[in-house]
Amino acid sequence: MNDCSVFCVSDHTGVTVEAVAKSVLAQFPRLEFSLITLPFVDSAGKAQAAAARIAAAPRALVFSTLTDPALRAVLRSAGAGLFDVFELLAPAVETALGQSATPSGGRTHGMAPDYEARMDAVNFALSLDDGLSPERLGQADLILVGVSRVGKTPSALYLALQYGLRVANYPLTPDDLVHPVLPGVLLAHLPRLRALTLSAERLAAIRQVRYPDSRYASPQQCREELVAAETLFRRHALPVLDTTRMSVEEIAARLRYP
């Protein structure tokens, strides 16, 4: 089955249904598809517009997280295969719990009780990005260390936004790597340090995009920095995560649940 249009329809942001759809479709590696997310489908008019768009697609699958059964019925009128997360899971959970669900849209990604904490964590990650404000490292839940462009900043921000963790990141520069120990500002926080690394080939490719044909992006420079950094990681017995083939979501999960 090729050239399939996959619609992710939600009455809120669409983050949850898109994640579910991607996880399911990853199990079908030969499937070629385009992903279309339709968020904030929270009225009959919007549902009808979504259904018309779905019906116009030659081959369509629909994943949805619509809490209103009436809106799901409108989508179903498009004639495409519809897989609604709540419709598929809620009845089984109701049976297991012995109580009925109370449908309400937007609870997962709305103003949850931890919203302010997550926003504070994002601000913290930005304030302590790339070695800034080292005097505040003691306030961090985790401190990510590694050479430039191994994924420290996106991982710190994802951990902050998704989990509310206060994560700093500290880059190891070539000047740091000539010393036998980590920079002094990090030594007082060893239990909270997490080291990131990746393959020299991957690092060179990433750096090449940012600074084409520079010494900074050369495979030799990348190899030398990674070897020196990994020597420091071993010396201080730091947990090391190789991010070569990992998405930021997987990096964050492995850092949170080592």
Side-chain angles (χ1 to χ4, degrees):
M1 183 178 182
N2 295 323
D3 299 324
C4 177
S5 296
V6 176
F7 290 86
C8 295
V9 186
S10 171
D11 52 19
H12 206 60
T13 64
V15 171
T16 299
V17 67
E18 190 174 295
V20 170
K22 287 179 178 178
S23 295
V24 172
L25 295 174
Q27 311 309 309
F28 301 88
R30 289 182 292 178
L31 177 67
E32 296 178 7
F33 63 91
S34 57
L35 193 71
I36 302 110
T37 301
L38 303 178
F40 303 110
V41 178
D42 53 7
S43 68
K46 292 178 182 178
Q48 289 163 2
R53 187 170 175 183
I54 293 164
R59 278 180 168 173
L61 290 177
V62 183
F63 290 81
S64 76
T65 49
L66 295 179
T67 53
D68 186 341
L71 299 185
R72 292 200 296 266
V74 173
L75 282 192
R76 193 166 277 111
S77 70
L82 174 65
F83 307 96
D84 185 85
V85 174
F86 296 122
E87 190 173 66
L88 292 170
L89 295 179
V93 176
E94 287 177 330
T95 299
L97 295 177
Q99 65 183 65
S100 298
T102 305
S104 178
R107 284 180 175 169
T108 304
H109 298 285
M111 295 290 285
D114 66 344
Y115 178 81
E116 291 297 335
R118 289 189 288 118
M119 293 304 101
D120 286 344
V122 169
N123 289 329
F124 181 87
L126 292 171
S127 297
L128 278 78
D129 182 42
D130 214 23
L132 294 173
S133 303
E135 71 280 0
R136 296 181 61 195
L137 287 176
Q139 302 169 21
D141 296 310
L142 294 175
I143 303 167
L144 307 184
V145 296
V147 302
S148 173
R149 311 305 291 180
V150 293
K152 300 183 300 299
T153 295
S155 299
L157 288 171
Y158 191 90
L159 284 162
L161 185 59
Q162 290 295 112
Y163 305 123
L165 292 178
R166 296 161 69 87
V167 183
N169 82 79
Y170 193 97
L172 297 177
T173 68
D175 288 341
D176 295 322
L177 297 173
V178 299
H179 296 290
V181 295
L182 286 168
V185 71
L186 297 176
L187 295 179
H189 309 290
L190 288 177
R192 281 173 286 176
L193 297 189
R194 301 293 184 272
L196 301 185
T197 190
L198 41 58
S199 71
E201 294 75 16
R202 176 64 178 149
L203 180 59
I206 293 170
R207 289 182 173 185
Q208 178 70 12
V209 172
R210 190 169 180 85
Y211 295 107
D213 303 321
S214 63
R215 183 172 183 273
Y216 167 79
S218 70
Q220 180 178 348
Q221 177 70 19
C222 292
R223 278 192 296 271
E224 290 175 356
E225 289 186 28
L226 289 168
V227 168
E230 288 165 12
T231 299
L232 290 176
F233 300 156
R234 286 194 298 272
R235 181 163 294 139
H236 294 286
L238 299 186
V240 180
L241 183 62
D242 186 335
T243 67
T244 302
R245 299 184 182 278
M246 292 186 188
S247 65
V248 68
E249 294 88 350
E250 184 176 356
I251 295 169
R254 290 183 180 274
L255 289 169
R256 189 186 184 204
Y257 305 109

